[in-house]
Every structure is written in structure tokens, then in C-alpha cells.
Amino acid sequence: MNTTLSTLIRRTCASTSKRALATSSSSTPLVKTALYDLHISLGGDMVPFAGYTLPVLYKTETGGVMKEHLHCRSENKASLFDVSHMGQIRWHGADRVAFLEKIVVGDIASLAPGSGCLSLVTNEDGGIIDDTVITNAGDFVYMVVNGATKFGDMEHFKEQMDDFDGDVSMEYLEDTMQLLALQGPGAADAIAKLLPDGFDLTNMAFMTGVDTVIDGVEGCRITRCGYTGEDGFEIAMPEAYATSIASRLLEDEAVLPTGLGARDSLRLEAGLCLYGNDLDEGTTPIEGVLGWTIGPPGSRRRVEGGFLGAEKILTPEGKLRKVTRKRVGLMGMKAPAREGAEIYDGTGENKIGVVTSGTFSPSLKRPIAMGYVETKMAKAGTDIMVKVRNKMQKAEVVKMPFVPSRYYRVPE
């Protein structure tokens, strides 16, 4: 089953990479992160992804998608991912928040210093250009966007800046800052060994971040977030120190180098979207069941709107507009349903949607999938059929996440 899972993940990585590279020249060479040599020395099986060459898994006794995945979910363990392909941006200027609230749906103005949120970049039709994590870093706003979309995102941002009458500037950190993700129940214990004495991880809430010294290196930033459903951190550091910091983390026997394969299966178990598969410019936040990123009923952003495409997403009263399809979780298939598999009603006669992500869940030991179905069929418990390899399989609409999330909560 590990071989099957690896094959599924390779196809996901390949299709995502093709979409990412389609917007650039096919002759553009793949970019190596600062950790490339370290990946090779650790047995990394390198593949193209979002214009970079990154490990899909590690060919070691403790490696492979299944083992790497289960390690991340294990008590007192942590997984280390190279996510340096992601785009890191700093927003400056007196009107930076006002500008950001025109290009993303979230309430950026209410973020306290150090606090962050998941938000969505939308177009004039209300479609999702990208998902992003935005943090109020005090003197600037720190944004992380997807690696496969970062250059298109920045072109969009520049176009919007040209039409914005205010003081705002965008600083793209390029590859001068590398990014690691440390995820799992043991992540806090592992990173604590590299942080300054007195650094208070206990009271560091999920989705908060701060500039700090890591392993004696100035100019680093740590954010308590991640894309696995576990506690964890994204750690930004100057390019010259990426290998030394990663190596120090890997000295901890609880920390395992982990590739794109496990990252994808972990995020799917957590019910999290992969941009380009589960979200795109033709999908609105309501269809993607991400209306909560705008705010609850009656909140400022729901009432005022003001972001691109708001009128396509919200009614004049601030209610979420009705949609004809919604993103759902699927279970019950005997074999994994891959991206593009057709979804039918319980009779198997009427097509009602399509699978956007699917894999074999290492934690649940069964296939899981995510996709879009007609709204009337989106209720959990609805019986459906999924066409897998031209054969109809019984399945059921289920709530997500598939595996309970364990995001950190500050003790009361």
C-alpha cells in the first residue's frame, strides 16, 4: 500500500508542478532550495514541484510516504519539511492594511501585533486566486503565498497597487529567506532547543508569529501554524543559515525529514485544500466552504465587503450568496479516487460532481477524497457513487477533517 500511496502522491505533485510551470517558460531551470544538498545526503527522492526540485520522500529505513506520514501524527514526534518554494512577502507603508483589505477577504485591520489569519486572494468574479497566511508583524505585514502561484499573485498585486491611491509597497523576499515547517506533537519541544532562553512557547497561540533568534542566528521568524492538522511552526531564516538550522533540528531523534508525499496526505486528512486542485480562480469562497475566512454573520467584512469580487460572494445584507456546488469530504470507496474521478448520485445515473483530491489515508487505513458536488447532495451522510477506473463504487459524503485536528491551544 505504501507503493500505491507513493504513486498517488507522485501524480499529485506532477500535476501541480505542470500547472505551476505552465505560466512560465518550459526552458526555465528548476530552482534548488538552500537545503538541496542536505536532501540528497539524507536520501531525498527529488521531483519537480512549483518550479523547484524538492523531495517527495526519503529513501531510508525510516522514510517513505507511509512512515513519514505516521511519524508526524505520533506522540512526541515531529516532521521537518522544506517549504522554501513558498512566497514570502513583507508589506510596508501607512496604508498597507487598507490595500490588503482590497485584495484579500479577511479582517486584517483587527489583527493584533503578532496575530495572523488564513485569508483568500480573490478576483473580480469572486474566484480564488490563492490562499495565504497573513500576520501583523508590527512595522510590516508578513504574507506567505503558495509557491506555484506566487509570481502570478505578485503580478496581480502590482496591478492592484497601480489603481490604489495610498502609501503601500511590496517587498518580495525571493530565496534570500528560506522556510521550514516543523510539524507534529513534538514540534514545540524540538524548536524550543534552538530558541533563546525565556522564549515563551506555552503562551504562543496558534496563528501567531514573532521575529526572533534561532540557534544564535539573527533575522529569523517563527509562526505557529502549518498544514498538517497538528501543532507546528513555520520557520523563516536567512538562506545562508538554512542548512545549519535544519541540521540542528534533525539532530533531535524525534525529528524526521519529510517530503511532499506525506505533506499532501497529511493536509488531505486534515481537510485542507491544495490550491490548483481543490481551489482555483473559478471557485468562490462559498463553494470552497471557506466563507468563515471573511468573518461571522454581522462582522465588518461581511457587512462592508470592499474586496475584489465581494458583490459576487456576499448579498447587500452581508449574507453568503447561494451556490450550486460545494466542497465535501468522501469516504467509503474501496480504492482511492483520484483527481478528476466523477461523482454520481446514489443511483449511479446522475453525475453530480468531481473529485479534486484523493489518496489512501495512512492514519485511517482507508481511501479518502475531497471534491465538489451539487449543493443539494452536499449534506453529510448522503449516499453517492464514485467512478474509479471506470467502475462505480459506493461512497458517502462526510464531514471534514477526516482526522481530528490537534492545533495548539494556550492553557487557560
Side-chain angles (χ1 to χ4, degrees):
M1 189 60 72
N2 198 8
T3 301
T4 301
L5 182 58
S6 298
T7 301
L8 284 170
I9 298 302
R10 278 182 176 278
R11 287 174 177 165
T12 298
C13 292
S15 61
T16 303
S17 185
K18 287 177 182 176
R19 282 190 291 270
L21 292 173
T23 58
S24 61
S25 170
S26 60
S27 62
T28 301
L30 294 172
V31 179
K32 296 178 180 179
T33 72
L35 299 180
Y36 178 83
D37 290 339
L38 180 61
H39 293 315
I40 296 299
S41 70
L42 293 171
D45 184 2
M46 311 302 285
V47 299
F49 186 81
Y52 287 72
T53 179
L54 291 165
V56 67
L57 52 83
Y58 292 85
K59 295 180 178 179
T60 64
E61 289 186 5
T62 57
V65 176
M66 184 75 75
K67 290 180 180 178
E68 291 170 20
H69 178 113
L70 294 175
H71 181 93
C72 189
R73 296 257 189 259
S74 299
E75 289 302 320
N76 304 315
K77 303 295 185 181
S79 296
L80 185 66
F81 304 82
D82 182 0
V83 291
S84 300
H85 63 293
M86 305 284 278
Q88 299 180 69
I89 298 171
R90 291 174 182 163
W91 291 98
H92 304 279
D95 301 312
R96 59 187 181 273
V97 171
F99 174 75
L100 286 169
E101 290 202 342
K102 289 185 178 297
I103 62 171
V104 303
V105 305
D107 186 352
I108 309 305
S110 72
L111 290 177
S115 295
C117 68
L118 174 69
S119 196
L120 304 171
V121 182
T122 49
N123 59 28
E124 293 180 349
D125 294 322
I128 300 170
I129 294 175
D130 203 0
D131 54 304
T132 176
V133 173
I134 299 176
T135 306
N136 177 1
D139 294 336
F140 59 92
V141 173
Y142 177 62
M143 170 188 270
V144 178
V145 296
N146 283 299
T149 56
K150 61 184 179 183
F151 294 114
D153 289 353
M154 288 187 286
E155 286 301 314
H156 171 72
F157 298 156
K158 290 174 183 176
E159 291 173 2
Q160 296 305 311
M161 289 168 70
D162 289 341
D163 294 332
F164 180 72
D165 184 18
D167 177 21
V168 63
S169 63
M170 177 178 67
E171 178 191 5
Y172 171 45
L173 301 184
E174 302 187 46
D175 292 319
T176 61
M177 290 292 286
Q178 299 285 282
L179 194 64
L180 300 175
L182 184 67
Q183 300 284 297
D189 288 340
I191 191 62
K193 299 173 184 178
L194 276 65
L195 293 171
D197 292 341
F199 192 103
D200 188 5
L201 279 175
T202 301
N203 290 303
M204 185 179 190
F206 198 70
M207 295 303 291
T208 63
V210 64
D211 292 324
T212 187
V213 175
I214 297 179
D215 198 32
V217 177
E218 301 277 354
C220 298
R221 183 170 185 84
I222 180 173
T223 305
R224 196 163 207 158
C225 66
Y227 223 59
T228 63
E230 300 290 341
D231 185 22
F233 306 87
E234 289 188 354
I235 309 159
M237 75 287 296
E239 181 181 20
Y241 297 96
T243 298
S244 64
I245 290 175
S247 297
R248 283 276 285 120
L249 287 167
L250 291 170
E251 287 176 5
D252 189 328
E253 293 183 355
V255 179
L256 186 72
T258 306
L260 294 168
R263 185 168 182 256
D264 191 66
S265 55
L266 286 160
R267 69 90 192 165
L268 183 52
E269 284 188 349
L272 301 172
C273 297
L274 175 65
Y275 190 86
N277 281 52
D278 312 305
L279 302 174
D280 57 35
E281 292 196 35
T283 301
T284 70
I286 314 308
E287 292 173 318
V289 195
L290 295 170
W292 59 269
T293 61
I294 305 172
S299 61
R300 182 177 66 86
R301 295 294 269 164
R302 285 275 290 268
V303 174
E304 295 179 3
F307 53 87
L308 281 178
E311 68 280 0
K312 302 293 180 67
I313 298 169
L314 303 170
T315 68
E317 299 76 32
K319 295 182 180 180
L320 303 180
R321 289 193 180 276
K322 301 293 184 181
V323 293
T324 59
R325 63 172 190 149
K326 285 190 174 181
R327 181 172 62 92
V328 297
L330 307 171
M331 287 185 70
M333 304 80 68
K334 292 183 178 179
R338 301 188 180 97
E339 173 192 0
E342 296 176 343
I343 305 172
Y344 291 78
D345 64 12
T347 68
E349 297 180 357
N350 303 300
K351 182 182 174 182
I352 60 170
V354 64
V355 170
T356 53
S357 287
T359 194
F360 178 83
S361 164
S363 300
L364 300 176
K365 303 292 190 292
R366 65 185 67 177
I368 58 174
M370 183 188 296
Y372 285 82
V373 299
E374 295 175 7
T375 300
K376 63 184 179 181
M377 303 293 289
K379 185 177 180 180
T382 301
D383 291 330
I384 57 164
M385 302 282 281
V386 181
K387 185 182 285 188
V388 180
R389 301 191 189 97
N390 289 319
K391 293 183 179 180
M392 287 293 192
Q393 294 196 22
K394 292 182 179 180
E396 180 183 0
V397 174
V398 298
K399 292 182 179 181
M400 294 183 285
F402 298 98
V403 173
S405 298
R406 298 192 289 184
Y407 300 123
Y408 181 75
R409 292 188 178 185
V410 175
E412 297 181 358

